[in-house]
């Protein structure tokens, strides 16, 4: 879908998508660009990946700005938002997509391990919202999306820190929805199911068999694609979804029904 032309539903809107150099973040960045948004493409270390996604966005006729920033650092996030405002005019859409997923038994998790995962997976969403919301208030329009995951709602063993962060993302989205709804801001959570993405297989033992078993029991009978998540986000940031806020959308092929 990356080479499809843009349309203007998000014309004059500026989006920041964290962790958008690959996988889900890249898909969301391209989907928003196809709707006409200017997009800040963020990553922590590999600027070449960010530049490649920016080139894809520009080929669609939209503006793109690569910004290296460690989103677990509040000063780096504030600088990213300030750069977006200076270069592109505002921040109207903020998608928090960064997530680190480690398998560790609870008693093997050190305080440093805990703090590191909470900062990257949960606090990063607070830093981005805190920096972007004043601009959304000023323009009386804003969209915030947190990319969570099934771990936050269907608890998995040996991932206590990640489970806590993923659940906290939705609680935080609800808090934003309640406090900023009168300013035209919506905040929602998208929880992806099993997706075909690149990942650290050291954290996923026996991955191939796990995928086969889960797909066999999934009503959709297929593994999800990045575009499945990107299209859900495209809808939630549109004016068509202006009356949807504080909600959790599971995009999982029916594997888990809530």
């Amino acid at each position: 879908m990356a080479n499809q032309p843009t349309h203007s539903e998000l014309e004059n809107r500026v989006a920041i998508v964290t962790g958008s150099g690959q996988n889900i973040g890249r898909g969301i960045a391209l989907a928003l660009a196809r709707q006409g948004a200017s997009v800040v493409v963020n990553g922590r270390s590999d600027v070449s990946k960010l530049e490649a996604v920016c080139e894809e966005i520009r080929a669609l006729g939209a503006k793109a700005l690569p910004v290296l920033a460690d989103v677990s650092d509040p000063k780096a996030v504030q600088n990213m938002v300030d750069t977006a405002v200076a270069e592109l005019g505002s921040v109207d859409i903020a998608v928090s997509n960064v997530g680190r997923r480690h398998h560790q038994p609870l008693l093997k998790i050190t305080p440093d391990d805990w703090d590191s995962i909470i900062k990257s997976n949960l606090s990063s969403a607070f830093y981005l919202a805190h920096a972007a919301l004043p601009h959304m208030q000023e323009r009386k329009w804003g969209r915030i999306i947190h990319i969570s995951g099934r771990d936050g709602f269907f608890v998995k063993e040996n991932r206590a820190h990640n489970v806590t962060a993923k659940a906290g993302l939705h609680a935080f989205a609800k808090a934003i929805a309640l406090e900023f709804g009168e300013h035209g801001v919506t905040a929602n959570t998208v929880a992806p199911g099993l997706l075909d993405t690149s990942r650290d297989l050291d954290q996923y033992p026996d991955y191939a068999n796990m995928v086969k078993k889960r797909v066999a029991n999934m009503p959709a009978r297929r593994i999800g694609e990045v575009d499945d998540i990107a299209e859900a986000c495209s809808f939630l940031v549109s004016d068509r979804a202006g009356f949807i806020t504080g909600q959790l959308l599971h995009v999982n092929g029916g594997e888990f029904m809530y």
Side-chain angles (χ1 to χ4, degrees):
M1 298 179 67
N3 60 353
Q4 291 181 356
T6 60
H7 59 90
S8 59
E9 189 168 12
L10 295 178
E11 188 176 3
N12 299 321
R13 302 297 188 190
V14 178
I16 293 177
V17 183
T18 63
S20 46
Q22 62 182 358
N23 290 337
I24 294 173
R26 171 182 170 273
I28 295 170
L30 291 171
L32 301 187
R34 285 193 292 272
Q35 290 180 274
S38 301
V39 184
V40 173
V41 179
N42 161 257
R44 185 175 65 173
S45 59
D46 192 342
V47 71
S48 64
K49 286 186 177 181
L50 307 188
E51 290 285 6
V53 177
C54 285
E55 286 303 310
E56 291 182 272
I57 290 171
R58 293 175 188 130
L60 294 167
K63 295 179 181 179
L65 179 67
V67 177
L68 280 177
D70 179 353
V71 294
S72 68
D73 177 355
K75 291 182 179 179
V77 174
Q78 184 65 61
N79 288 338
M80 176 169 61
V81 170
D82 291 345
T83 299
V85 172
E87 296 290 329
L88 299 174
S90 187
V91 175
D92 306 291
I93 299 164
V95 181
S96 288
N97 169 64
V98 172
R100 295 168 56 212
R101 295 176 288 277
H102 289 177
H103 284 81
Q104 292 178 289
L106 192 147
L107 294 181
K108 296 292 186 181
I109 298 173
T110 68
D112 285 344
D113 292 333
W114 179 270
D115 290 343
S116 176
I117 294 298
I118 294 299
K119 285 185 71 174
S120 63
N121 291 13
L122 178 57
S123 298
S124 59
F126 168 73
Y127 302 149
L128 181 57
H130 193 269
L133 277 165
H135 302 285
M136 298 177 183
Q137 277 186 301
E138 182 179 350
R139 288 163 69 93
K140 299 295 182 183
W141 194 97
R143 299 289 186 265
I144 290 176
I145 295 177
H146 297 156
I147 304 301
S148 181
R150 74 166 187 141
D151 283 6
F153 311 96
F154 188 83
V155 179
K156 190 172 183 179
E157 65 181 358
N158 296 332
R159 298 175 81 168
H161 36 20
N162 188 58
V163 164
T164 301
K166 293 298 187 183
L169 283 171
H170 185 47
F172 182 44
K174 291 190 287 185
I176 295 170
L178 181 62
E179 193 167 342
F180 290 88
E182 65 181 299
H183 302 290
V185 176
T186 69
N188 293 288
T189 305
V190 174
L194 181 63
L195 297 184
D196 184 14
T197 59
S198 60
R199 62 186 68 215
D200 179 5
L201 293 180
D202 289 340
Q203 298 296 321
Y204 295 86
D206 202 23
Y207 178 71
N209 285 330
M210 179 271 289
V211 169
K212 185 177 180 180
K213 290 178 182 178
R214 286 177 61 180
V215 168
N217 292 313
M218 195 181 300
R221 295 294 192 274
R222 68 172 177 88
I223 193 170
E225 303 290 340
V226 165
D227 284 341
D228 293 317
I229 308 305
E231 291 302 317
C233 293
S234 293
F235 171 66
L236 288 173
V237 303
S238 72
D239 286 331
R240 292 167 289 145
F243 200 53
I244 300 173
T245 192
Q247 302 305 309
L248 168 64
L249 177 59
H250 289 279
V251 185
N252 62 20
E255 184 179 13
F256 303 100
M257 300 184 188
Y258 300 83

